[in-house]
Amino acid sequence: MKKFELPPLPYAYEALQPVISKEIMTLHHDKHHAAYVNGANAALEKLEKSRKGEMEIDMKATLRDISFNLSGHNLHSMFWPNMGSNKGGTPGGKIADQINKDFGSFASFQKEFSAAAKTTEGNGWAVLAFHPQTEQLFVIQLEKHNVAAIPGLRPLLVLDVWEHAYYLDYKNDRAKYVDSWWNVVNWDDVEKTFSKL
Ligand code: MN
């Protein structure tokens, strides 16, 4: 069975300052993301033992663990390259055309995505995703890492609004975090993912 691995950050821990501090990035990547990788691997090990008849497992709880932790791992693995230093601005390329087609304008998309991020209940994510069958973009809210997911949608841009993602820098002001975050969005990465679909 293949194990999941924590990918290295594609830049230095301090690269996103002042939008996101070195302290947050260090804890977020080395502790939080690592915990999801370890959690997913621990659940996989249980399944492996169950398949070999070495262990009786609570199937529902184990599959729930895999869903939660693997979703967390996948989302964080997208989140890091979705950002970069001296980024932000507006996208170009195919993703810009698609955003204009589906949302009317970049400003309209930005407003919808920000509203999704600011109103996610508890911990969760705002996600820009593409639905290949109808060839259109959607903004969705994922509570935790996996609640309200829509199977078939392909995530392109994800924003972590768990408190661990911003509290040390912004305290309870999630809206300020979301508004500042646009300055580190790496649209080249979004375009790369979109072009491969
Ligand atoms: Mn996180």
Side-chain angles (χ1 to χ4, degrees), residues 28 32 36 76 79-80 125 145 160 162 164-165:
H28 199 172
H32 292 276
Y36 299 128
H76 286 90
F79 185 48
W80 310 131
W125 298 74
H145 299 308
D160 191 339
W162 282 60
H164 67 228

Side-chain angles (χ1 to χ4, degrees), residues 92-109:
K94 282 168 62 182
I95 190 64
D97 295 341
Q98 192 73 42
I99 284 172
N100 287 329
K101 186 166 158 248
D102 293 334
F103 295 92
S105 67
F106 179 74
S108 171
F109 152 71

Side-chain angles (χ1 to χ4, degrees), residues 98-99 101-103 128-139 152-154 156 194 197:
Q98 192 73 42
I99 284 172
K101 186 166 158 248
D102 293 334
F103 295 92
L128 172 68
F130 187 65
H131 187 240
Q133 286 86 346
T134 58
E135 299 188 333
Q136 63 186 321
L137 294 164
F138 288 91
V139 169
L153 286 192
R154 309 288 296 269
L156 302 170
F194 186 52
L197 293 182

Side-chain angles (χ1 to χ4, degrees), residues 138-160:
F138 288 91
V139 169
I140 62 170
Q141 283 181 336
L142 291 179
E143 290 163 29
K144 296 195 204 171
H145 299 308
N146 52 5
V147 180
I150 302 174
L153 286 192
R154 309 288 296 269
L156 302 170
L157 175 68
V158 301
L159 170 55
D160 191 339

Side-chain angles (χ1 to χ4, degrees), residues 60-182:
K60 187 177 168 68
T62 307
L63 295 182
R64 184 216 151 271
D65 275 356
I66 288 191
S67 175
F68 177 79
N69 287 290
L70 185 51
S71 297
H73 170 45
N74 287 346
L75 284 162
H76 286 90
S77 298
M78 288 198 72
F79 185 48
W80 310 131
N82 270 173
M83 303 184 287
S85 60
N86 299 314
K87 298 289 184 182
T90 53
K94 282 168 62 182
I95 190 64
D97 295 341
Q98 192 73 42
I99 284 172
N100 287 329
K101 186 166 158 248
D102 293 334
F103 295 92
S105 67
F106 179 74
S108 171
F109 152 71
Q110 200 172 28
K111 191 177 165 194
E112 189 170 320
F113 189 96
S114 288
K118 290 172 188 178
T119 61
T120 301
E121 285 180 355
N123 288 314
W125 298 74
V127 176
L128 172 68
F130 187 65
H131 187 240
Q133 286 86 346
T134 58
E135 299 188 333
Q136 63 186 321
L137 294 164
F138 288 91
V139 169
I140 62 170
Q141 283 181 336
L142 291 179
E143 290 163 29
K144 296 195 204 171
H145 299 308
N146 52 5
V147 180
I150 302 174
L153 286 192
R154 309 288 296 269
L156 302 170
L157 175 68
V158 301
L159 170 55
D160 191 339
V161 290
W162 282 60
E163 285 187 348
H164 67 228
Y166 63 88
Y167 215 84
L168 284 174
D169 290 348
Y170 296 89
K171 301 294 187 292
N172 60 323
D173 197 351
R174 187 199 289 180
K176 192 178 174 194
Y177 161 65
V178 171
D179 292 339
S180 305
W181 176 77
W182 291 107

